[in-house]
C-alpha cells in the first residue's frame, strides 16, 4: 500500500468520524486514530490527523503538530522531497501529521494544539510506541554449503520484541538433533552431505504482535574439485600435435586452467585449453614447450591441482657434415653431428646402399670403425667414421643418418670422402701403338688417372719436348690429359715418346709408341664353299695384321675368264665376318677372281687369281625355313611349334635361284601324328598353297586344328622347275586360348549382336502394346487367343494367361539361341576363307 493510498484511506475514515462526533459540545481537539497510546511498526509510514471538535470550526486558529520536544513540525515545502516527518493540511480545520518511515527514535508523544476563539488553548496528545517487525537480516535465498563441512544455514531475524524461530525442511519441521542444531543465527548442519540438498524454511513468530514470517532457503551442496592424477610425464613430438586431458569433478563442475611458469596456457600461442573438459592442446609442439605444467580446477567450493611434466621429443637435425679429402692409405675421419631429444644416434651409409655402418669395427672390413657419441648436455649426437688405410674404393658419397624415437633424418647433401692418389696409367696399359703414314699428324693422347689432377709432360729420348722447339711435335693440354701431335716428317719420328704424369702424391711414366702404318699383306686364302648357277660363297682367311691397324674390309674383283682386262672387272666389298657371297653371276660361266684386304692405310695387294666356274641354270636351291625350332637333331626333320592353335606363320629365306628367277613357292601342309618318331599322315587332309613371293618370304597357314602335328613341305619354283623340298614338322598350340578371331569376324559378331538386341526389343514392345490393348480394349493377338480359348474353362484360361504373361521372356531367349546359331555359322564361314 503506497503512502498516498494510505493517506486517502485515513482521510475517508476521518471524515466519517468527524461526522459522528458532531454532537459533542465541549471544544476540544481530536486525534485520529483515536487511541491515546498507539503501537506502530518501524520502517512503516504513519499518518495522524488532528481535527477540532467544536461548534464553530471557523474560530479555530493556529492548528499545529509538535513533537515530544515541543518543536513544531513544519509542513512539507512545496516542490521539495518529503522529509521523514511533516504536516499537511487537509482542509482549514484538519491537519495531518505524516511520518514517511517510522523509526524507534521517533517514538514518544506528539501534540496537536490550537487556539479557539482566540481565548481557549486546545491541546491533545497521542503516544506512539514503536515495535520492530520481523525482518530477515541475513538469510540468503540460495546457500551453498560445502560437502563434508559443518554449515550454518544462515537466517538472522530481527524483531522487537524478539521473534522465536523454527525450521522446516521440504515442508517438515526439523527437530534439533545431532545433525541439525537450531542456533540464533541459523540452522547448523553438521557434516553436510549431498543428500542435505533441499528447500529449508526459516520461520519467525512474535507472540506479542502475532506476527509470523518465513523465508524459503534453497540449499545446494557444493563439492570441492578433485583432479584425476596425471601421468608423471608426457611425451610430445616436435612439430606434431599434442594434447593432454585434465579430468576434474566437483559441484558445480569446475573450470580448468593449465599453468606453466605462472603463465596461463590458454593465452599462449599454439596452445588451446577447453575450460570445461580440461583438454590442453598444442597445435605444433616446439622444443621449448617442455617443462612442468599444472592443471588447476576451480569452483566455488574450492580448488585442486595436479602437476605433470611434458617432455618434447625433438626430431634429429643434422647440422654438420664436412667433406674430407684424404690421401690413399691415409686415415679418413668423417664426422656427422646431429641435434635432437632424446639425443640422436648417428650412423652412415654409402650412397646407393641401404646398409648402414654398425657401431664399432665393421665385420666385413676391419679398416672401418664407427664411433657414436651422445652428449645429453647439449643434445648432440655424433657419428664418426674412421677409415684406416683408406683405399681408392672408399672414395664416394656417404649419407649421414640420425635417429631417435622422434624419427630418422637422412642427411643431405651427402658427405664426400675424396681419396687422393698418385697418377697411374693402368687404363692405358694394353693400348696398341699409334699409327701414322704419309706424314699424317698422329695424336698420341695420354691420360693419367690421378687425384688431384696430374700435370703431364712429354719426353723424347729423355729430352723435354716442351723445350725442343720441334715444329713437328705439338703438345695440346698439359693434364690430366695431354695430346702429343706428331707429324712424322722423317722416319725418326716413328719411335717411343714418354708421357710423364705428376701430382703431389707421385709420378708415373707411360711409353707411347708411334709406328708407321703399312698396307695389309695379301689375303692368305679364299676358298669357294658354295657354288650355285648365279652365286659363289667364299671362305676368306685374312692376312695377319698389326694390333691397332685392323682389317676394315675385304674386296673381291671378278670378271669372266675370257675377258682379259681387269679394268672392266666388277668388284664386291664385305666387312669382315659377313658371308662373303658374290652374286648375280651368269650360269655356266668361268670367272677369275682376286681378293685384297683393306686397312686404314689403304687397300693391300691383290691375291693370286682364282678361277671358278658356275654350273648351268637349274631349279632353285631349297629354301631355308627360318622359324624357331624346338629341337632338331642331326639328320632329323626339325619341329617348330605355333603359338596359335589355329594358324602358323612360316618364314623362310630366299634361296639362290640358280639362274632363273623364283616365281612362286609351294607350301603343302598335312596333319598327321608322330608316334615314336614315326610320321603317320592322315590321308587326304593336305592343303597346298602357292605363294608368289615378291619381297617377303613368309606365309600364314590358317584353319589349322589345335594340338596337332603338321608336316610342311616348302618348295621354290623357277622357270626350270621346283627346288628340292624343305620339310619341317609343326605342332599347333593346345586348346582354344590363343584362337584369334579375325577383325572381320569380330565386326560381324558385334553388328549381329546389335541387330539381335534390336529385334528382341521390337518384339517385346509389340507384345507389350498387344498386352495393353488386350487389357484395355480387348483387342490384339492376345485378346484374340483369349477369346478363342475362353469357352474352354476358367482354369485353362488362367494357365494360358500366365503363359502369355511370360511369353515375352521365353520368346527372347529363343531368339538369342537362334542368333547364336546364326553367328556361329557366320564365323564358320569367315574363318573358312
Ligand atoms: C510541552 O508542553 C506541555 C504542555 O503544553 C507540557 O506538559 C510538557 O511538559 C512540555 N514538554 C517539554 C519537554 O517541555
Ligand atoms: C660435400 O660434397 C658433396 C658432393 O660433392 C656436395 O654435394 C656437398 O655440398 C659437399 N658438402 C659440403 C658441406 O661442402
Ligand atoms: C687426340 O685424341 C683424343 C682421344 O681420342 C681426342 O679426345 C683429342 O681430341 C685428340 N686431340 C686432338 C688435338 O685432335
Ligand atoms: C681435373 O680434370 C678433370 C678432367 O679434365 C676436370 O673436369 C676437372 O675440373 C679437373 N679438376 C681440377 C681441380 O682441375
Ligand atoms: C669397285 O667398283 C666401283 C664401281 O663399280 C669402283 O668405283 C671402285 O673403284 C671399285 N673398287 C675397286 C677396289 O676396284
Amino acid at each position: 500500500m503506497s503512502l498516498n493510498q494510505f493517506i486517502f484511506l485515513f482521510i475517508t475514515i476521518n471524515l466519517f468520524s468527524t461526522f459522528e462526533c458532531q454532537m459533542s459540545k465541549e471544544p476540544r481537539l481530536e486525534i485520529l486514530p483515536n487511541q491515546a497510546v498507539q503501537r506502530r511498526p518501524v520502517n512503516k509510514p504513519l499518518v495522524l490527523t488532528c481535527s477540532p471538535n467544536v461548534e464553530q470550526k471557523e474560530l479555530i486558529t493556529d492548528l499545529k503538530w509538535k513533537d515530544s520536544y515541543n518543536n513544531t513540525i513544519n509542513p512539507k515545502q512545496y516542490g521539495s522531497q518529503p522529509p521523514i516527518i511533516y504536516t499537511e493540511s487537509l482542509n482549514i480545520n484538519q491537519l495531518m501529521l505524516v511520518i514517511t518511515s517510522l523509526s524507534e527514535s521517533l517514538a514518544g508523544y506528539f501534540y496537536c494544539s490550537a487556539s479557539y476563539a482566540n481565548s481557549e488553548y486546545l491541546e491533545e496528545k497521542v503516544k506512539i510506541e514503536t515495535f520492530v517487525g520481523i525482518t530477515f537480516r541475513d538469510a540468503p535465498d540460495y546457500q551453498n554449503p560445502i560437502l563434508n563441512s559443518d554449515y550454518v544455514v544462515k537466517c538472522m531475524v530481527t524483531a522487537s520484541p524478539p521473534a522465536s524461530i523454527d525450521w522446516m525442511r521440504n515442508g517438515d519441521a526439523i527437530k534439533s538433533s545431532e545433525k541439525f542444531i537450531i542456533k540464533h543465527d541459523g540452522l547448523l548442519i553438521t557434516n553436510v552431505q549431498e543428500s542435505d540438498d533441499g528447500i529449508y524454511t526459516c520461520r519467525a513468530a512474535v507472540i506479542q504482535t502475532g506476527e509470523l514470517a518465513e523465508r524459503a532457503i534453497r540449499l545446494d551442496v557444493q563439492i570441492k574439485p578433485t583432479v584425476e592424477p596425471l601421468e608423471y610425464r608426457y611425451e610430445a613430438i616436435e612439430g606434431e600435435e599434442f594434447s593432454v586431458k585434465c579430468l576434474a569433478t566437483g559441484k558445480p563442475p569446475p573450470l580448468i586452467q593449465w599453468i606453466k611458469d605462472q603463465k596461463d596456457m590458454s593465452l599462449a600461442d599454439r596452445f588451446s585449453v577447453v575450460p570445461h573438459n580440461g583438454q590442453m592442446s598444442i597445435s605444433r609442439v616446439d622444443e621449448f614447450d617442455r617443462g612442468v605444467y599444472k592443471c588447476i580446477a576451480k569452483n566455488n567450493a574450492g580448488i585442486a591441482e595436479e602437476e605433470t611434466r611434458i617432455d618434447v621429443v625433438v626430431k634429429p637435425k643434422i647440422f654438420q657434415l664436412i667433406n674430407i679429402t684424404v690421401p690413399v692409405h691415409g686415415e679418413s675421419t668423417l664426422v656427422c653431428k646431429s641435434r635432437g631429444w632424446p639425443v640422436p644416434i648417428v650412423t652412415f651409409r654409402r650412397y646407393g646402399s641401404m646398409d648402414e655402418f654398425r657401431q664399432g669395427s665393421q665385420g666385413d672390413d676391419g679398416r672401418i670403425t664407427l664411433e657414436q657419441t651422445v652428449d645429453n648436455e647439449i643434445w648432440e649426437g655424433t657419428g664418426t667414421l674412421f677409415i684406416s688405410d683408406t683405399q681408392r674404393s672408399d672414395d664416394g658419397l656417404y649419407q649421414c643418418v640420425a635417429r631417435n624415437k622422434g624419427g630418422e633424418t637422412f642427411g643431405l647433401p651427402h658427405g664426400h670422402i675424396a681419396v687422393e692418389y698418385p697418377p697411374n696409367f693402368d687404363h692405358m696399359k694394353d693400348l696398341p701403338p699409334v699409327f701414322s703414314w704419309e706424314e699424317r699428324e698422329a695424336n698420341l693422347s695420354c691420360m693419367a688417372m690421378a687425384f688431384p689432377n696430374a700435370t703431364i709432360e712429354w719426353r723424347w729420348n729423355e729430352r723435354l719436348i716442351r723445350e725442343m722447339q720441334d715444329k713437328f711435335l705439338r703438345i695440346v693440354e698439359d693434364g690430366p690429359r695431354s695430346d702429343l701431335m706428331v707429324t712424322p716428317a722423317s722416319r725418326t719420328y716413328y719411335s717411343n715418346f714418354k708421357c710423364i704424369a705428376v701430382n703431389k702424391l707421385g709420378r708415373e711414366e707411360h711409353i707411347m709408341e708411334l709406328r708407321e702404318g703399312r698396307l695389309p699383306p695379301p689375303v692368305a686364302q679364299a676358298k669357294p664353299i658354295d657354288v650355285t648357277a648365279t652365286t659363289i660363297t667364299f671362305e676368306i682367311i685374312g692376312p695377319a695384321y698389326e694390333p691397332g691397324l685392323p682389317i676394315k674390309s675385304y674386296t673381291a674383283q671378278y670378271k669372266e675368264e675370257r675377258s682379259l682386262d681387269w679394268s672392266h672387272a666388277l668388284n664386291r666389298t664385305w666387312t669382315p665376318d659377313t658371308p662373303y657371297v658374290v652374286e648375280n653371276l651368269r650360269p655356266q660361266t668361268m670367272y677369275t677372281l682376286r681378293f685384297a684386304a683393306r686397312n686404314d692405310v689403304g687397300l693391300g695387294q691383290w691375291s693370286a687369281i682364282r678361277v671358278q666356274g658356275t654350273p648351268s641354270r637349274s631349279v632353285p636351291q631349297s629354301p631355308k625355313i627360318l622359324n624357331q625350332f624346338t629341337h632338331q637333331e642331326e639328320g632329323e626333320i626339325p619341329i617348330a611349334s605355333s603359338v596359335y592353335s589355329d594358324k602358323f606363320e612360316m618364314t623362310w629365306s630366299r634361296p639362290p635361284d640358280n639362274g632363273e628367277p623364283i616365281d612362286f613357292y609351294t607350301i603343302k601342309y598335312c596333319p598327321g601324328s608322330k608316334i615314336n618318331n614315326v610320321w603317320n599322315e592322315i590321308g587326304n587332309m593336305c592343303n597346298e598353297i602357292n605363294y608368289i613371293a615378291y619381297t617377303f618370304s613368309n606365309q600364314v597357314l590358317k584353319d589349322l586344328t589345335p594340338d596337332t602335328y603338321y608336316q610342311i613341305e616348302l618348295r621354290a619354283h623357277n622357270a626350270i622347275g621346283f627346288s628340292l623340298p624343305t620339310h619341317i614338322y609343326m605342332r599347333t598350340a593346345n586348346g582354344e586360348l590363343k584362337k584369334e578371331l579375325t577383325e572381320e569376324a569380330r565386326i560381324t559378331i558385334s553388328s549381329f549382336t546389335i541387330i539381335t538386341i534390336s529385334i528382341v526389343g521390337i518384339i517385346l514392345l509389340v507384345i507389350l502394346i498387344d498386352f495393353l490393348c488386350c487389357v484395355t480394349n480387348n483387342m490384339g493377338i492376345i485378346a484374340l487367343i483369349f477369346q478363342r480359348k475362353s469357352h474352354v474353362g476358367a482354369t485353362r484360361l488362367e494357365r494360358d494367361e500366365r503363359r502369355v504373361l511370360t511369353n515375352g521372356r521365353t520368346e527372347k531367349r529363343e531368339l538369342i539361341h537362334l542368333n547364336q546359331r546364326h553367328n556361329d555359322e557366320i564365323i564358320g564361314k569367315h574363318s573358312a576363307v
Side-chain angles (χ1 to χ4, degrees):
M1 188 157 51
S2 77
L3 187 62
N4 285 346
Q5 283 170 316
F6 188 75
I7 292 168
F8 175 76
L9 196 69
F10 254 83
I11 294 166
T12 328
I13 293 165
N14 283 2
L15 282 174
F16 270 106
S17 344
T18 324
F19 192 69
E20 265 171 34
C21 300
Q22 254 177 5
M23 303 312 286
S24 58
K25 302 282 186 326
E26 186 101 1
R28 64 186 202 85
L29 294 172
E30 198 176 45
I31 294 174
L32 286 175
N34 57 7
Q35 294 92 342
V37 177
Q38 296 187 22
R39 178 183 283 269
R40 294 291 181 155
V42 297
N43 298 331
K44 295 276 158 64
L46 172 65
V47 166
L48 297 168
T49 309
C50 180
S51 48
N53 191 355
V54 291
E55 304 253 290
Q56 287 169 290
K57 283 187 179 148
E58 60 278 10
L59 297 178
I60 290 291
T61 54
D62 205 15
L63 183 62
K64 58 183 165 201
W65 279 99
K66 289 186 282 186
D67 65 12
S68 44
Y69 307 106
N70 286 343
N71 298 321
T72 301
I73 298 163
N74 295 321
K76 170 174 150 350
Q77 297 290 306
Y78 178 77
S80 67
Q81 280 293 314
I84 288 186
I85 180 163
Y86 63 93
T87 61
E88 196 175 316
S89 295
L90 257 192
N91 50 51
I92 12 163
N93 288 319
Q94 271 184 320
L95 187 67
M96 276 194 319
L97 171 69
V98 181
I99 299 172
T100 51
S101 178
L102 185 60
S103 62
E104 276 172 325
S105 61
L106 289 175
Y109 286 99
F110 288 91
Y111 304 97
C112 175
S113 66
S115 297
Y116 184 57
N118 284 330
S119 55
E120 210 170 336
Y121 178 75
L122 302 180
E123 188 178 76
E124 191 61 43
K125 66 178 179 193
V126 64
K127 185 177 184 192
I128 299 295
E129 287 178 1
T130 57
F131 71 91
V132 178
I134 295 168
T135 32
F136 292 98
R137 282 233 322 274
D138 183 11
D141 291 347
Y142 184 71
Q143 299 190 28
N144 300 115
I146 288 164
L147 187 75
N148 296 331
S149 64
D150 293 345
Y151 182 75
V152 176
V153 185
K154 280 178 281 184
C155 183
M156 279 281 280
V157 175
T158 49
S160 152
S164 64
I165 311 266
D166 63 354
W167 285 85
M168 284 175 296
R169 179 177 176 224
N170 299 336
D172 302 327
I174 294 176
K175 298 270 168 312
S176 258
S177 62
E178 238 171 60
K179 177 89 187 164
F180 297 110
I181 298 156
I182 296 170
K183 297 182 62 175
H184 73 282
D185 57 346
L187 175 70
L188 171 67
I189 306 177
T190 55
N191 189 20
V192 172
Q193 296 302 307
E194 261 190 284
S195 58
D196 294 331
D197 277 356
I199 308 285
Y200 287 74
T201 310
C202 164
R203 190 167 68 175
V206 178
I207 295 156
Q208 291 84 339
T209 57
E211 202 187 2
L212 181 70
E214 26 177 74
R215 165 71 53 102
I217 297 169
R218 184 182 180 84
L219 205 68
D220 197 0
V221 174
Q222 291 192 335
I223 303 170
K224 272 198 202 164
T226 50
V227 179
E228 272 183 28
L230 293 169
E231 311 241 324
Y232 168 69
R233 188 174 152 266
Y234 290 91
E235 217 161 57
I237 295 171
E238 187 195 24
E240 292 180 7
E241 199 188 299
F242 172 78
S243 78
V244 56
K245 258 189 183 160
C246 174
L247 294 174
T249 52
K251 198 178 147 201
L255 287 187
I256 293 160
Q257 250 188 328
W258 280 88
I259 302 282
K260 180 197 178 197
D261 303 332
Q262 271 104 46
K263 220 173 86 190
D264 183 350
M265 293 325 282
S266 63
L267 305 175
D269 258 4
R270 298 181 291 108
F271 282 74
S272 63
V273 175
V274 186
H276 58 266
N277 72 10
Q279 175 161 316
M280 175 175 71
S281 307
I282 312 177
S283 61
R284 226 172 5 82
V285 173
D286 81 27
E287 61 173 88
F288 304 105
D289 295 338
R290 70 184 192 283
V292 176
Y293 287 73
K294 215 185 262 181
C295 159
I296 299 176
K298 223 187 258 183
N299 68 7
N300 286 338
I303 186 165
E305 56 181 53
E306 269 285 325
E307 219 176 64
T308 187
R309 232 200 111 68
I310 295 180
D311 273 343
V312 174
V313 173
V314 178
K315 293 178 182 169
K317 285 175 204 59
I318 291 168
F319 65 94
Q320 196 191 83
L321 175 59
I322 295 170
N323 290 340
I324 55 167
T325 301
V326 191
V328 69
H329 306 305
E331 187 165 287
S332 311
T333 308
L334 190 62
V335 180
C336 176
K337 290 188 173 176
S338 166
R339 184 176 180 279
W341 187 262
V343 176
I345 302 297
V346 179
T347 180
F348 292 91
R349 61 184 194 192
R350 277 202 80 151
Y351 177 73
S353 164
M354 299 304 263
D355 300 336
E356 290 167 6
F357 292 104
R358 295 198 315 253
Q359 179 163 30
S361 94
Q362 309 305 301
D364 55 350
D365 191 344
R367 297 175 305 123
I368 305 178
T369 314
L370 174 67
E371 193 182 289
Q372 294 170 322
T373 58
V374 158
D375 187 335
N376 283 312
E377 204 85 333
I378 53 169
W379 293 17
E380 196 175 289
T382 305
T384 309
L385 194 68
F386 293 108
I387 307 178
S388 63
D389 186 20
T390 304
Q391 301 295 312
R392 281 187 58 190
S393 57
D394 297 323
D395 188 301
L397 296 177
Y398 291 76
Q399 186 164 40
C400 176
V401 184
R403 277 195 189 86
N404 67 10
K405 71 161 79 162
E408 54 186 8
T409 300
F410 297 96
L412 274 178
H414 291 84
H416 188 198
I417 296 182
V419 179
E420 295 177 325
Y421 56 94
N424 72 67
F425 291 108
D426 297 350
H427 64 291
M428 290 183 68
K429 271 221 169 97
D430 299 322
L431 287 187
V434 177
F435 287 90
S436 180
W437 55 92
E438 295 164 1
E439 298 189 21
R440 279 163 196 254
E441 191 178 51
N443 174 356
L444 273 59
S445 184
C446 178
M447 168 101 180
M449 303 303 278
F451 183 72
N453 281 347
T455 54
I456 288 178
E457 58 179 29
W458 290 90
R459 278 174 189 271
W460 187 27
N461 299 328
E462 295 313 312
R463 289 177 62 199
L464 211 51
I465 293 177
R466 183 157 38 85
E467 294 168 352
M468 279 170 63
Q469 319 249 320
D470 183 331
K471 63 174 177 177
F472 298 112
L473 297 174
R474 182 161 67 90
I475 297 172
V476 181
E477 307 273 335
D478 60 356
R481 200 195 75 206
S482 177
D483 303 327
L484 177 65
M485 310 301 291
V486 184
T487 310
S490 70
R491 276 276 147 97
T492 49
Y493 290 99
Y494 294 116
S495 75
N496 286 347
F497 295 88
K498 201 186 272 174
C499 163
I500 303 158
V502 179
N503 76 358
K504 65 174 183 183
L505 296 184
R507 179 180 188 281
E508 183 71 11
E509 298 179 354
H510 179 64
I511 307 281
M512 296 195 76
E513 185 192 356
L514 180 63
R515 204 183 279 178
E516 184 169 14
R518 293 166 207 280
L519 291 174
V523 170
Q525 195 187 26
K527 173 172 94 183
I529 50 171
D530 189 19
V531 181
T532 73
T534 54
T535 65
I536 307 171
T537 307
F538 286 95
E539 185 184 71
I540 294 177
I541 297 174
Y545 57 86
E546 290 181 287
L549 204 57
I551 304 292
K552 290 288 171 69
S553 63
Y554 292 107
T555 296
Q557 238 184 355
Y558 57 99
K559 61 177 179 63
E560 290 184 21
E561 197 188 16
R562 54 195 162 82
S563 141
L564 292 175
D565 184 6
W566 278 104
S567 60
H568 294 293
L570 297 171
N571 65 48
R572 175 80 167 81
T573 298
W574 306 278
T575 52
D577 300 322
T578 48
Y580 308 115
V581 186
V582 182
E583 290 138 328
N584 301 325
L585 300 178
R586 298 206 311 172
Q588 227 175 346
T589 310
M590 292 305 281
Y591 284 92
T592 46
L593 305 100
R594 57 183 189 179
F595 298 85
R598 179 186 286 281
N599 67 8
D600 282 341
V601 182
L603 191 66
Q605 266 183 7
W606 290 113
S607 63
I609 287 170
R610 173 163 201 113
V611 179
Q612 177 68 43
T614 51
S616 58
R617 282 177 306 163
S618 68
V619 298
Q621 301 290 104
S622 304
K624 192 173 172 214
I625 292 175
L626 299 175
N627 288 73
Q628 292 268 309
F629 301 113
T630 38
H631 58 88
Q632 183 184 16
E633 276 171 34
E634 195 65 36
E636 257 187 23
I637 297 178
I639 300 179
S641 56
S642 173
V643 289
Y644 301 108
S645 60
D646 63 337
K647 60 175 186 174
F648 176 61
E649 186 171 349
M650 190 163 78
T651 58
W652 61 90
S653 63
R654 201 185 173 91
D657 60 17
N658 282 339
E660 287 291 337
I662 292 171
D663 45 8
F664 63 86
Y665 297 92
T666 300
I667 305 165
K668 183 179 171 194
Y669 54 104
C670 308
S673 61
K674 202 164 178 280
I675 303 160
N676 297 332
N677 267 338
V678 178
W679 177 250
N680 294 298
E681 201 161 291
I682 303 170
N684 293 332
M685 294 278 283
C686 297
N687 268 317
E688 197 166 296
I689 310 174
N690 287 341
Y691 173 71
I692 298 164
Y694 298 104
T695 42
F696 302 111
S697 302
N698 62 352
Q699 173 67 36
V700 178
L701 310 181
K702 288 180 189 161
D703 299 327
L704 305 181
T705 316
D707 197 16
T708 305
Y709 281 103
Y710 283 86
Q711 189 183 51
I712 303 174
E713 185 185 279
L714 175 67
R715 287 181 296 167
H717 182 270
N718 67 7
I720 295 165
F722 281 107
S723 70
L724 287 174
T726 306
H727 285 113
I728 57 164
Y729 291 127
M730 186 274 299
R731 191 189 168 137
T732 49
N734 208 341
E736 301 278 305
L737 280 174
K738 296 268 180 142
K739 180 163 180 165
E740 261 198 349
L741 295 169
T742 61
E743 194 61 24
E744 208 180 344
R746 224 179 283 146
I747 290 163
T748 322
I749 284 176
S750 60
S751 52
F752 256 88
T753 317
I754 291 163
I755 292 166
T756 308
I757 290 169
S758 319
I759 291 171
V760 169
I762 290 164
I763 288 171
L764 279 176
L765 196 69
V766 168
I767 289 168
L768 185 72
I769 291 167
D770 197 77
F771 179 73
L772 285 175
C773 282
C774 167
V775 171
T776 54
N777 293 350
N778 208 19
M779 271 164 38
I781 298 163
I782 297 173
L784 210 71
I785 296 165
F786 256 80
Q787 278 160 12
R788 278 243 303 273
K789 304 241 168 151
S790 61
H791 62 273
V792 177
T795 42
R796 177 77 174 280
L797 193 89
E798 258 173 39
R799 215 183 304 138
D800 278 354
E801 198 168 28
R802 205 174 302 132
R803 195 191 299 159
V804 169
L805 274 167
T806 55
N807 218 8
R809 205 193 304 153
T810 329
E811 216 163 325
K812 183 178 166 190
R813 202 180 302 136
E814 272 173 9
L815 255 172
I816 288 168
H817 282 316
L818 200 82
N819 275 307
Q820 263 171 5
R821 225 175 295 136
H822 202 135
N823 273 349
D824 288 346
E825 273 172 33
I826 295 285
I827 296 164
K829 227 161 77 192
H830 272 269
S831 45
V833 175

